[in-house]
């Protein structure tokens, strides 16, 4: 079994500690001393791995963004333009897992736009644009083939993202007396059903009166 170099393990610890603190306290509200303390290293050690605090911030954000990638089977389904009934639940699962298991990522992106906005666009083009563009291209292919309704693919992409990212919070504002769904699997299924009902053309149960005329 290969042994992971100590320097790599130490770097990962620093990145994880930095991400947690930057997400919780913001960029300007976090010191390198605090990060070093949480990572259980000296501040001198921290600066042997990273030139300055800003480099550490972007490195931690890229580290947390690493999970926002399509699995090979999902990417293959998107490329082959497999039916939405197959591909859409997998896309939703990926987005929802990011929200549930990597909450620091969303907070770090918010910090980037608020406190380091001059470089935030560059990060988004590098890390987020490929994901969003892939989803958007999938919509375009399915619209052309008639598998989904003729809707604006960019609006679909934006709305799908917002459904998964914001629905739990908005639901609590509307009806905070009960949980949204009993577990994440039920949430994934509910989102998939909603979107498939919305975008997949359905044959009418009865002939349209207008068509009869």
């Amino acid at each position: 079994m290969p042994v992971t170099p100590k320097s790599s393990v130490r770097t990962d610890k620093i990145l994880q500690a930095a991400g947690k603190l930057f997400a919780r306290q913001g960029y300007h509200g976090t010191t390198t001393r605090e990060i070093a303390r949480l990572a259980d290293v000296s501040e001198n050690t921290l600066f042997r791995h990273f030139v300055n605090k800003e480099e550490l911030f972007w490195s931690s954000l890229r580290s947390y963004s690493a999970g926002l990638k399509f699995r090979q089977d999902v990417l293959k389904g998107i490329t082959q333009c497999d039916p939405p009934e197959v591909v859409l639940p997998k896309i939703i699962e990926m987005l929802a897992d990011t929200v549930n298991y990597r909450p620091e990522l969303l907070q770090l992106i918010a910090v980037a736009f608020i406190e380091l906005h001059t470089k935030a666009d560059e990060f988004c083009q590098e890390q987020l644009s490929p994901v969003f563009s892939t989803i958007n291209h999938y919509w375009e292919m399915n619209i052309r083939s008639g598998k989904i309704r003729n809707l604006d693919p960019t609006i679909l992409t934006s709305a799908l993202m917002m459904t998964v990212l914001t629905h739990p919070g908005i639901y609590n504002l509307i009806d905070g007396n009960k949980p949204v769904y009993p577990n994440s699997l039920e949430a994934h299924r509910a989102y998939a059903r909603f979107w498939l009902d919305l975008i997949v053309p359905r044959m009418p149960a009865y002939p349209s009166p207008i068509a009869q005329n």
Side-chain angles (χ1 to χ4, degrees):
M1 179 181 294
V3 178
T4 304
K6 289 184 178 180
S7 60
S8 176
V9 172
R10 190 174 292 120
T11 300
D12 288 343
K13 286 180 64 177
I14 294 171
L15 290 173
Q16 290 300 309
K20 290 181 185 299
L21 289 175
F22 284 135
R24 187 190 311 158
Q25 302 174 177
Y27 177 77
H28 295 298
T30 300
T31 66
T32 53
R33 180 177 297 180
E34 290 176 306
I35 295 170
R37 186 182 302 133
L38 183 60
D40 196 25
V41 299
S42 70
E43 202 169 3
N44 287 336
T45 298
L46 184 150
F47 284 119
R48 282 201 292 269
H49 289 76
F50 302 94
V51 175
N52 52 39
K53 177 180 168 181
E54 185 172 338
E55 184 197 9
L56 176 54
F57 174 82
W58 293 114
S59 296
S60 67
L61 181 48
R62 288 187 176 88
S63 176
Y64 275 83
S65 301
L68 192 59
K69 292 181 179 179
F70 294 107
R71 299 195 312 265
Q72 285 300 315
D73 63 317
V74 183
L75 196 57
K76 182 179 179 181
I78 290 174
T79 304
Q80 296 177 166
C81 198
D82 286 348
E85 291 84 355
V86 175
V87 174
L88 182 59
K90 295 179 180 180
I91 294 176
I92 288 173
E93 181 181 3
M94 181 197 75
L95 297 174
D97 283 349
T98 300
V99 175
N100 293 330
Y101 304 123
R102 305 177 75 86
E104 291 89 356
L105 174 57
L106 302 181
Q107 295 164 341
L108 287 169
I109 292 173
V111 170
F113 273 102
I114 294 171
E115 301 189 56
L116 296 166
H117 56 87
T118 56
K119 293 186 179 179
D121 287 340
E122 180 182 339
F123 163 79
C124 287
Q125 288 297 322
E126 174 190 327
Q127 298 289 333
L128 303 184
S129 181
V131 175
F132 297 163
S133 296
T134 298
I135 296 174
N136 194 75
H137 182 59
Y138 177 72
W139 295 137
E140 290 174 340
M141 291 191 298
N142 278 273
I143 290 170
R144 286 197 297 268
S145 65
K147 292 179 183 177
I148 68 173
R149 295 168 54 203
N150 186 18
L151 301 167
D152 186 316
T154 60
I155 295 178
L156 281 178
T157 302
S158 303
L160 177 63
M161 299 294 298
M162 297 308 293
T163 297
V164 178
L165 298 181
T166 66
H167 175 256
I170 293 176
Y171 180 93
N172 288 334
L173 296 176
I174 298 171
D175 189 352
N177 296 324
K178 56 184 179 180
V180 188
Y181 298 107
N183 53 61
S184 60
L185 180 60
E186 286 299 316
H188 298 170
R189 289 173 176 169
Y191 295 151
R193 284 194 301 268
F194 173 85
W195 274 93
L196 290 172
D197 286 343
L198 182 68
I199 66 176
V200 176
R202 304 294 183 188
M203 293 295 294
Y206 302 98
S208 168
I210 297 177
Q212 289 179 345
N213 293 336

